[in-house]
Amino acid sequence: MTPRDRSEPPSSPGSGPGRWSDLDRPPLNAAALRRALVREESLWTALDVVPATGSTNSDLVEAARAGRAEEGTVLVAEEQSAARGRLDRAWSAPARSGLFFSVLLAPNDVPVPRWGWLPLLTGVAVATGLARTAGLDTALKWPNDLLVTVGGEERKAGGILAERAGTEGVVVGVGLNVTLRADELPVPTAGSLALAGAAVTDRDPLLRGVLRSLEQWYTRWRVVGGDPEMSGLLETYAAGCATLGRRVRAMLPGGDDLVGEATALDADGRLVITAPDGTRHPVSAGDIVHLRPA
């Protein structure tokens, strides 16, 4: 169990729910996380944990645009009240039940068209970090979902959202359900690391593992100018992608639907869908639904 930060006194009797009202969900130890991650020559330059906020992505984008954050800044929230997924969908979870954080990246030596790989890179980093730290096999649903297996079914346990922060930065946010119980799931198709049988659900080592993995993948990708093949990113993402080889429906911007088989990822990270007539369609944005075989 994570030691309580000495700056956080326990709730007094009769004072109502406090940070330690749920002993299965202790608060993150910000000081210990900074000692482990923010060090000389590390990517991570600052790390803050706030009790609650609307959205870590919104907060960090604002800070970056105002010049109050540099590359490598990590903002973590114990609870978010206005978290957003893709297409501005609302997303919520109980306090301290997951990892809700955003990071500021500035890959200025990488051509801007390759910045579209950052959400996919983050997915690979999260999956790799969880495998190492929690002994849990996960899968990636293109473009930004993390899937776990609960009761033999695929469930979404996490999502990734990337947003530009001015002309030189990108804020990448991660929301990951860690200890959500079955009666707390927002929808039946959701899942959590605990429900999937993770060996570790202590959020401190999980966050350290994910951020170290993200640093490794980001550095490897950046050293080769963002080339997805030379960095190994394309091969690794494809190997862990549950979407490839599946029959899917792509709900495209503008309201059109495309049904076919997800056959490949192209050099820009787009999902290539082969329609029944054999034509190939690269998709850069849209909702993807995994369909049962015809």
Side-chain angles (χ1 to χ4, degrees):
M1 179 174 290
T2 306
R4 175 170 54 84
D5 190 322
R6 292 183 181 180
S7 65
E8 292 289 343
S11 301
S12 58
S15 65
R19 293 184 70 189
W20 276 76
S21 58
D22 186 343
L23 296 181
D24 290 332
R25 292 172 175 164
L28 292 164
N29 188 325
L33 288 167
R34 279 192 288 270
R35 285 195 300 270
L37 295 165
V38 180
R39 61 193 189 283
E40 192 173 354
E41 298 185 358
S42 167
L43 170 64
W44 310 120
T45 54
L47 187 150
D48 289 303
V49 179
V50 297
T53 190
S55 162
T56 56
N57 255 38
S58 296
D59 292 350
L60 196 48
V61 167
E62 180 182 353
R65 288 174 174 168
R68 292 184 281 105
E70 61 180 314
E71 182 177 37
T73 297
V74 183
L75 179 61
V76 189
E78 297 283 26
E79 182 178 15
Q80 294 187 105
S81 60
R84 294 169 291 116
R86 292 179 63 249
L87 307 178
D88 281 333
R89 289 180 177 138
W91 178 85
S92 63
R96 305 183 309 280
S97 67
L99 292 175
F100 321 122
F101 67 93
S102 298
V103 301
L104 176 60
L105 304 174
N108 297 316
D109 44 4
V110 173
V112 171
R114 288 179 172 172
W115 290 17
W117 275 96
L118 283 171
L120 307 184
L121 182 154
T122 303
V124 167
V126 172
T128 304
L130 292 178
R132 292 173 180 167
T133 309
L136 185 66
D137 288 332
T138 58
L140 300 166
K141 179 185 175 187
W142 188 91
N144 70 331
D145 290 347
L146 186 83
L147 305 179
V148 296
T149 302
V150 179
E153 296 182 350
E154 284 182 344
R155 302 280 189 89
K156 177 179 175 178
I160 297 160
L161 179 66
E163 299 180 82
R164 289 293 294 267
T167 59
E168 299 183 353
V170 178
V171 169
V172 182
V174 176
L176 181 65
N177 295 334
V178 177
T179 60
L180 250 68
R181 300 179 277 268
D183 61 348
E184 295 175 318
L185 297 176
V187 293
T189 54
S192 70
L193 303 190
L195 291 174
V200 173
T201 56
D202 184 335
R203 294 178 306 140
D204 280 81
L206 289 175
L207 183 57
R208 290 197 301 270
V210 166
L211 288 174
R212 284 171 176 155
S213 178
L214 180 52
E215 178 178 7
Q216 291 167 359
W217 274 104
Y218 178 69
T219 301
R220 182 187 307 179
W221 173 78
R222 192 169 177 177
V223 162
V224 295
D227 188 301
E229 293 189 65
M230 291 180 63
S231 64
L233 179 57
L234 177 59
E235 180 182 5
T236 305
Y237 188 93
C241 182
T243 303
L244 291 177
R246 301 274 285 267
R247 184 167 172 263
V248 300
R249 174 184 292 113
M251 294 180 284
L252 306 174
D256 292 335
D257 282 5
L258 173 63
V259 175
E261 182 181 349
T263 51
L265 289 175
D266 70 10
D268 295 322
R270 297 179 298 181
L271 182 69
V272 179
I273 298 177
T274 302
D277 64 3
T279 56
R280 291 162 58 89
H281 304 267
V283 174
S284 59
D287 269 3
I288 301 297
V289 179
H290 290 173
L291 303 176
R292 295 183 182 278

